[in-house]
Structures are given as C-alpha cells and as structure tokens.
Amino acid sequence: GQQLNQSPQSMFIQEGEDVSMNCTSSSIFNTWLWYKQDPGEGPVLLIALYKAGELTSNGRLTAQFGITRKDSFLNISASIPSDVGIYFCAGRGGGADGLTFGKGTHLIIQP
Amino acid sequence: KAGVTQTPRYLIKTRGQQVTLSCSPISGHRSVSWYQQTPGQGLQFLFEYFSETQRNKGNFPGRFSGRQFSNSRSEMNVSTLELGDSALYLCASSPLSSQETQYFGPGTRLLVL
C-alpha cells in the first residue's frame, strides 16, 4: 500500500523560530493535507493542497504540493507556544484507500 | 456550523464484547470516513461511506463494519473485541464540493480489557 515518510519525527525549538517539516510518498497523490492534533482531540485541518506546485498559506503556516506529486512541506514562521502539538501530513491518491497519514512530527517549544 | 460529533467520547469494554460507535457529520456533508489511531500504527483508514453506500474499505478484518443512514449519520461496529482494538476511533466528514478534504471529530477512545 501507499506509505508516507514524515520528518522530522520531533522538533525541539525556541519560541520565535521558524519550523519546517516534510512528507514524501512512494506513490503519487492528488491531494495533500496538513493537520494538527492536540492531546485527546481529533486532527484539525490546517491546509489543503489540490494541485502540483500549489503553494498555500494560512496565517503563519505555508504549505506546498510538490511538483512530482510525491512530496509536500509545511513551514511555520515565528513559532508561538500554542503551536505545540503533533502535525500530520496526509495524502490521497486516485485509488480507494481513504487518506494515508504520515507518522507525525511532534513539535515542542522550549521557553 | 457545528463540527463533527462522536459519541461516546470514552468507552471501556472487555474482550469478546462488541461495540458500536456513532458519528454525526458536519451539516450538509454526505461523505463519512472512519479511522483507527494507535501509538504503534498511527492513523489507519477503516472505511468510507457516501449516500448510505460503502465506497472504500481499508485493510481491517471483517469484525470491523459500518453503516450510514439517510441523514448521513454513521455508525461503526466492532465485534468480538480484542485487546489490540484499543485505540482512538476517528470519524471525518467531507463536503460535496471537496470530497478529498476531511474534517475530523474528537474521536472515541476505546479501551479493551
């Protein structure tokens, strides 16, 4: 089946720093989605990408759909304490398997 | 607009029992998907329903089943529970305008003893 490699697995940063994480796939996706999940809650949609090369922003968040359709990245600028959480990438190809999720990037902000 | 709601939020069952989880999608959404989240396997797709029909199914045993009602509400059932079924079960709904985009509920935390 499809697999997503998400990196890094965890990040320890200082407040105010920029953050970058990415996902690569073994196969082509038609849609890339980025979610944030807080403890005990469901994932919250941050950004959705629908076309290769698309670059989309949502406040301090920016994500891009790779040209090859096999990768995507998420950047967070000027991190703040409420950015702490687990970030997941998810992709959907043309098949019938629902969303495929990465293993998540655990973002920790040190005071 | 209210988000996706799931009931119950927490559940404790014993091995061999069965369980039914419920999901109400965002108003106007007709597609509902279910996922299982565990620390070891992460988020894994269970099945997807649209207009009361199962459209897609993940790689889970037949003990996992679901259905969707005419009002788009969905239920999933797990029979003959095993310890490994302990997980957070997440429901997501999608709008017709963008069926690839899924909005998740808070999940049902199932513990099997």
Side-chain angles (χ1 to χ4, degrees):
Chain A
Q2 296 170 328
Q3 293 186 9
L4 279 184
N5 294 312
Q6 184 171 352
S7 64
Q9 190 173 354
S10 59
M11 300 183 74
F12 296 80
I13 63 167
Q14 302 279 346
E15 184 178 347
E17 287 186 19
D18 296 344
V19 170
S20 184
M21 59 191 79
N22 69 84
C23 277
T24 57
S25 166
S26 57
S27 52
I28 288 173
F29 284 126
N30 296 326
T31 303
W32 281 96
L33 306 167
W34 285 92
Y35 290 88
K36 178 175 182 273
Q37 187 175 26
D38 292 327
E41 300 296 329
V44 174
L45 181 64
L46 300 173
I47 293 180
L49 302 160
Y50 303 105
K51 288 195 296 191
E54 181 180 354
L55 183 71
T56 297
S57 293
N58 178 9
R60 294 178 296 104
L61 278 61
T62 302
Q64 184 158 31
F65 191 144
I67 292 290
T68 64
R69 294 167 63 193
K70 290 185 176 183
D71 64 315
S72 177
F73 72 75
L74 174 71
N75 287 341
I76 305 173
S77 62
S79 58
I80 60 176
S82 61
D83 291 335
V84 166
I86 303 178
Y87 291 79
F88 291 97
C89 62
R92 187 160 189 171
D97 294 332
L99 289 177
T100 300
F101 279 83
K103 295 293 188 188
T105 294
H106 194 173
L107 180 61
I108 299 161
I109 298 179
Q110 298 169 321
Chain B
K1 229 184 218 186
V4 176
T5 58
Q6 293 186 245
T7 57
R9 289 294 308 273
Y10 304 93
L11 205 47
I12 300 175
K13 292 286 189 179
T14 55
R15 277 182 300 174
Q17 288 187 310
Q18 75 164 19
V19 67
T20 300
L21 311 181
S22 181
C23 170
S24 292
I26 293 171
S27 177
H29 289 193
R30 285 166 57 188
S31 174
V32 172
S33 299
W34 288 88
Y35 293 82
Q36 182 196 65
Q37 186 175 27
T38 59
Q41 299 300 317
L43 278 144
Q44 293 186 290
F45 171 70
L46 280 158
F47 23 67
E48 179 182 16
Y49 287 87
F50 179 79
S51 292
E52 302 178 68
T53 301
Q54 186 179 88
R55 193 156 61 173
N56 298 313
K57 189 176 191 305
N59 189 24
F60 278 81
R63 300 185 297 107
F64 291 81
S65 62
R67 59 178 176 167
Q68 187 180 32
F69 302 95
S70 58
N71 61 359
S72 295
R73 192 176 67 84
S74 177
E75 288 181 348
M76 68 162 282
N77 184 278
V78 188
S79 62
T80 320
L81 283 166
E82 300 176 1
L83 296 179
D85 296 334
S86 295
L88 180 66
Y89 289 89
L90 292 159
C91 168
S93 71
S94 302
L96 277 175
S97 59
S98 178
Q99 293 189 52
E100 305 304 315
T101 308
Q102 299 188 5
Y103 298 88
F104 283 83
T108 294
R109 173 77 61 185
L110 173 64
L111 177 61
V112 182
L113 301 176

